[in-house]
Amino acid sequence: MGEMKVNLCGIELDNPIIPASGTFGYGYEFAELYDINILGTFSFKGTTKDARFGNPTPRIAECEAGMINAVGLQNPGVEKVISEELPKLAKCFDKKVMANVSGFSVEDYAYTCEKLDKCEQVGWLEVNVSCPNVHGGGMSFGTSPEAAAEVTRAVKAVTTKPVLIKLSPNVTDIVSIAKACEDAGADGISLINTLLGMRIDLRTKKPVIANKMGGFSGSAIFPVAVRMVYQVANAVKIPVVGMGGVSRAEDVIELMLAGATAVEVGAANLVDPFACRDIINDLPRVMDKYGIKSLNDIIGGAK
Amino acid sequence: MKQGLFDIIENTALTDNVMKMVLAGDTSDITRPGQFINIKLDGLYLRRPISVCDRDGKTVTIIYKVVGRGTEQMREMQSGSLDVLTGLGNGYDTSVSGDKALLIGGGVGVPPLYMLAKELIAKGVQVSVILGFNTASEVFYEKEFEALGATVTVTTVDGTKGVKGFVTAAMENADYSYFYTCGPEPMLKAVYNASRTSGQFSFEERMGCGFGACMGCSCKTLYGNKRICKDGPVLVKEEIIWEK
C-alpha cells in the first residue's frame, strides 16, 4: 500500500484528508457514524469571539452540482467552544484538531486565536478571512493584501501554533493576497472558501436565501479550486491546504498535484456523511492506479 | 442515523400530486414517529428530506407532494433502489400524551401523524385526528386513520368535504389531554393559538445535510438555538418562538 502520510506545518498527518470547517460541526456528531480518528484531522466550525446565531433562514439553496449556504458563522462563541465543545471532542478524537477562527475586527481575530492557541487539542489555527456571509468582517479582510496581512500579523503576535490563513476566491489577484500573508508570517494558506453566489425562486420571484447571497460550494467549483491552489502554491514557499468541491479520491490527487499539501472536503460531507471515510478508504486504490507510491512525492507535481 | 440502499416496491398516486412510496430496506434506525428520511436522487446535489408515514421491520412508507425537480423525478420511479439516510430527527414523544390525544395535520403534514396515531393507539391512548386540506380532491388517508381506530374529522377550506374552514374550526369542540401537529407554518401558528393544552409541533425548513452538520436549518427557541433537522423537527409548545 502506498504511503499517505504528509506533514502540515510540522505536524504529521496519517493522510491528507481534512473535513472542512462548517461541514463537520465540532466533530463528535460524525464520531457516532464512524471512527473520526481515521481522518488526517478536521477543521472545526468557524468560531468567533462572541456567540452568534447567524443569518435568518432559509440559509440553503441547491445548485447544479453544488449548493449555496448563508449560515453566517453560527457558533457558541470561543469560551463555550473551549469549555463545552472541545471536551466533548476529546472523548472521540485523539489527534490535533484544526481550529477555524473568524472575526469582525483585527482585535477579534487576535482575541479568539490567543484563547484557542492555549488549547492542547488544537494543532493549527485556520484563520478565515473569507466568509462571504457576514457583514463588516469576514471576507472583507481577505479581499485586500494589506488587511489580510494585518490580521496575520495580529494573530501571529499572540500565538505559538501554526497559522493558516483561509482565503476567498472572490478576488481578482489571489497571489498578491497569499504572498502578503506569507510575508506577514503565515505558516500556511488554505483555499478556496466558497464563491459568492445567488439563486432566485421562479415561483416567489424572490431570492431563495433570506440573506439573498451566499457561498457556492460543491463539485461545480472544483476547477476553480485547482486553478487557485496551483497559482498560490507556485507563488509561496509555505504549505497550501487545498479545498473546493472535492468529493472523491481522484480530486484529492489532483489538488495535491496542483500544489496542496493537504486537502479539505466540505460540501460532500453534507450530501454523504461518510464521504471522508470513503475517500480515505479509496485513496490507496487510486494511488495504485496512477502509480503513486507516496502522496508526499506528488505535492505540486503538475508543472 | 444509518445509510442504506432501499428498493422501491410501491409508488402510487393518492391524489393529483400526492404520491405514496414504499421502500424496502434496513428500517432499524427509525425509532419514533415524526422522524424523516433523506433521499439521494440522481443528478441532484442535495438529498430530499421526507417524513416517515409508517414503517415495519422491512419497509418504510413515505407520502410526498410533487413540488419540484426532486419529487417530479421520484414520481416517475417504479423500481430500482435509492440511497437513503434513515433515523433522522427527534420525532414525537408519545410518553406525554395523557389519555386523549388530538392529532392535527395539514396537507402533506398529515403523513407523520399516521405512525404516531398507530403507536398511541397501541398504547391504549384515545386518538382523535383532524385532517385539513384545501378541497375535497386533495383529501387522503381518511380511511387509513379510521382503520387504526382513530376518530377522524376532515376539514376543507372550501367546504367541499367535512367541516368548512381551517383545522382550527374543528379544534374548538375537541376534547383532548395533549396534541400533536404537523403542517405548514401558518397552520402551526394557528394551532398554537387555538390550543388549550401543551403539545408538540413538527416544523419544516430548507435543509443542507439533514443530520445536524451544516447549521442550515437553525431556529431560535426559548431553550436556545436548535437545528430543525437534528434537535427537531418536533418542538414542544413551551419552547417555540414565532419569528416569521
Side-chain angles (χ1 to χ4, degrees), chain A residues 22-23 29-30 33 53 57-60 62 64-66 71 74 208 218-219 267 269-274, chain B residues 1 3 40 44-48 69 205-209 211-216 218-220 225 227 230 244:
Chain A
T23 66
E29 283 175 334
F30 280 80
L33 305 178
F53 173 70
T57 56
R59 297 173 170 181
I60 304 286
E62 188 175 51
E64 288 301 320
V71 170
Q74 180 177 347
V208 173
S219 30
N269 293 309
L270 307 181
V271 182
D272 177 1
F274 299 99
Chain B
M1 177 175 74
Q3 183 176 25
K40 183 88 184 89
L44 296 175
Y45 196 75
L46 296 175
R47 290 172 182 267
R48 266 46 184 178
R69 278 175 74 184
E205 185 54 81
R206 262 176 197 270
M207 292 176 185
C209 62
F211 50 87
C214 73
M215 306 287 167
S218 298
C219 70
K220 290 177 186 165
N225 299 335
R227 298 158 295 181
K230 176 88 177 180
K244 285 174 188 168

Side-chain angles (χ1 to χ4, degrees), chain B residues 43-137:
Chain B
L44 296 175
Y45 196 75
L46 296 175
R47 290 172 182 267
R48 266 46 184 178
I50 299 184
S51 62
V52 170
C53 172
D54 197 13
R55 66 99 170 73
D56 58 28
K58 290 177 189 148
T59 67
V60 54
T61 302
I62 55 171
I63 290 175
Y64 59 96
K65 188 175 179 179
V66 179
V67 290
R69 278 175 74 184
T71 44
E72 277 165 16
Q73 197 170 316
M74 284 171 65
R75 172 162 61 185
E76 302 309 316
M77 295 175 171
Q78 290 309 319
S79 61
S81 61
L82 291 168
D83 168 355
V84 179
L85 300 176
T86 57
L88 302 173
N90 59 350
Y92 291 111
D93 180 358
T94 56
S95 71
V96 291
S97 70
D99 54 359
K100 287 179 190 168
L102 178 64
L103 280 51
I104 310 141
V108 278
V110 165
L113 302 182
Y114 181 78
M115 180 172 158
L116 175 64
K118 204 175 180 178
E119 298 210 349
L120 287 169
I121 288 166
K123 290 173 61 175
V125 176
Q126 191 182 319
V127 173
S128 302
V129 184
I130 301 171
L131 306 178
F133 298 94
N134 287 312
T135 187
S137 64

Side-chain angles (χ1 to χ4, degrees), chain A:
Chain A
M1 195 167 106
E3 180 57 75
M4 296 205 283
K5 286 191 169 70
V6 292
N7 188 301
L8 181 60
C9 305
I11 303 173
E12 188 170 81
L13 304 179
D14 290 334
N15 62 67
I17 306 305
I18 305 172
S21 181
T23 66
F24 215 71
Y26 291 93
Y28 50 84
E29 283 175 334
F30 280 80
E32 292 172 17
L33 305 178
Y34 64 91
D35 180 6
I36 61 172
N37 287 297
I38 65 166
L39 300 166
T41 179
F42 75 94
S43 181
F44 67 51
K45 175 73 188 154
T47 297
T48 51
K49 180 168 175 268
D50 300 313
R52 288 178 53 81
F53 173 70
N55 293 321
T57 56
R59 297 173 170 181
I60 304 286
E62 188 175 51
C63 309
E64 288 301 320
M67 61 182 283
I68 293 174
N69 89 81
V71 170
L73 295 173
Q74 180 177 347
N75 79 94
V78 67
E79 315 289 346
K80 275 204 170 161
V81 167
I82 292 170
S83 65
E84 292 177 15
E85 306 290 342
L86 289 182
K88 276 193 237 176
L89 174 64
K91 292 187 183 134
C92 56
F93 192 58
D94 308 328
K95 296 180 173 179
K96 299 284 187 193
V97 68
M98 190 177 280
N100 186 283
V101 173
S102 242
F104 296 86
S105 67
V106 173
E107 294 73 29
D108 270 10
Y109 280 105
Y111 178 91
T112 308
C113 287
E114 188 174 8
K115 295 265 179 195
L116 288 165
D117 190 63
K118 294 187 171 69
C119 299
E120 218 227 320
Q121 281 164 278
V122 171
W124 311 257
L125 295 154
E126 185 179 55
V127 180
N128 178 6
V129 293
S130 44
C131 179
N133 293 324
V134 292
H135 296 289
M139 194 171 85
S140 57
F141 290 102
T143 50
S144 99
E146 294 76 22
E150 197 188 344
V151 173
T152 308
R153 271 192 299 274
V155 169
K156 282 299 289 180
V158 294
T159 56
T160 57
K161 289 176 173 161
V163 172
L164 296 134
I165 307 293
K166 183 169 176 181
L167 298 182
S168 170
N170 304 303
V171 297
T172 46
D173 184 6
I174 190 75
V175 167
S176 65
I177 296 167
K179 285 177 93 161
C181 293
E182 181 181 36
D183 292 344
D187 301 287
I189 300 291
S190 52
L191 80 168
I192 57 175
N193 204 320
T194 53
L195 292 144
L196 196 58
M198 182 171 175
R199 296 302 307 270
I200 294 165
D201 186 323
L202 302 190
R203 203 166 33 83
T204 62
K205 300 180 177 60
K206 288 179 181 164
V208 173
I209 285 180
N211 208 36
K212 295 190 175 74
M213 296 169 210
F216 178 35
S217 61
S219 30
I221 73 164
F222 181 68
V224 181
V226 174
R227 184 265 293 181
M228 286 192 149
V229 165
Y230 181 84
Q231 285 179 308
V232 169
N234 279 291
V236 300
K237 293 180 186 68
I238 51 179
V240 172
V241 175
M243 76 196 80
V246 173
S247 61
R248 47 193 207 128
E250 285 84 350
D251 298 343
V252 174
I253 308 272
E254 190 169 338
L255 266 188
M256 292 186 81
L257 285 167
T261 295
V263 173
E264 293 191 20
V265 179
N269 293 309
L270 307 181
V271 182
D272 177 1
F274 299 99
C276 286
R277 179 200 66 182
D278 294 348
I279 289 171
I280 291 165
N281 289 340
D282 198 31
L283 261 174
R285 179 191 66 82
V286 179
M287 288 169 67
D288 220 34
K289 181 179 174 186
Y290 294 101
I292 298 163
K293 291 198 171 53
S294 167
L295 287 181
N296 196 55
D297 296 342
I298 67 163
I299 297 168
K303 292 297 173 196

Side-chain angles (χ1 to χ4, degrees), chain B residues 84-234:
Chain B
V84 179
L85 300 176
T86 57
L88 302 173
N90 59 350
Y92 291 111
D93 180 358
T94 56
S95 71
V96 291
S97 70
D99 54 359
K100 287 179 190 168
L102 178 64
L103 280 51
I104 310 141
V108 278
V110 165
L113 302 182
Y114 181 78
M115 180 172 158
L116 175 64
K118 204 175 180 178
E119 298 210 349
L120 287 169
I121 288 166
K123 290 173 61 175
V125 176
Q126 191 182 319
V127 173
S128 302
V129 184
I130 301 171
L131 306 178
F133 298 94
N134 287 312
T135 187
S137 64
E138 292 181 3
V139 177
F140 65 86
Y141 257 48
E142 180 187 7
K143 290 196 171 55
E144 283 80 353
F145 277 97
E146 282 170 354
L148 293 177
T151 307
V152 181
T153 307
V154 169
T155 66
T156 52
V157 177
D158 65 2
T160 47
K161 187 176 171 73
V163 177
K164 185 177 187 327
F166 294 107
V167 289
T168 44
M171 285 176 70
E172 283 168 25
N173 300 317
D175 174 25
Y176 55 97
S177 52
Y178 198 82
F179 70 92
Y180 300 89
T181 184
C182 182
E185 201 156 318
M187 186 202 95
L188 297 184
K189 197 169 180 181
V191 168
Y192 180 94
N193 290 325
S195 58
R196 301 188 299 269
T197 68
S198 181
Q200 293 171 30
F201 296 71
S202 183
F203 283 83
E204 200 173 47
E205 185 54 81
R206 262 176 197 270
M207 292 176 185
C209 62
F211 50 87
C214 73
M215 306 287 167
C217 61
S218 298
C219 70
K220 290 177 186 165
T221 78
L222 292 171
Y223 304 161
N225 299 335
K226 292 201 169 183
R227 298 158 295 181
I228 292 293
C229 70
K230 176 88 177 180
D231 311 308
V234 176

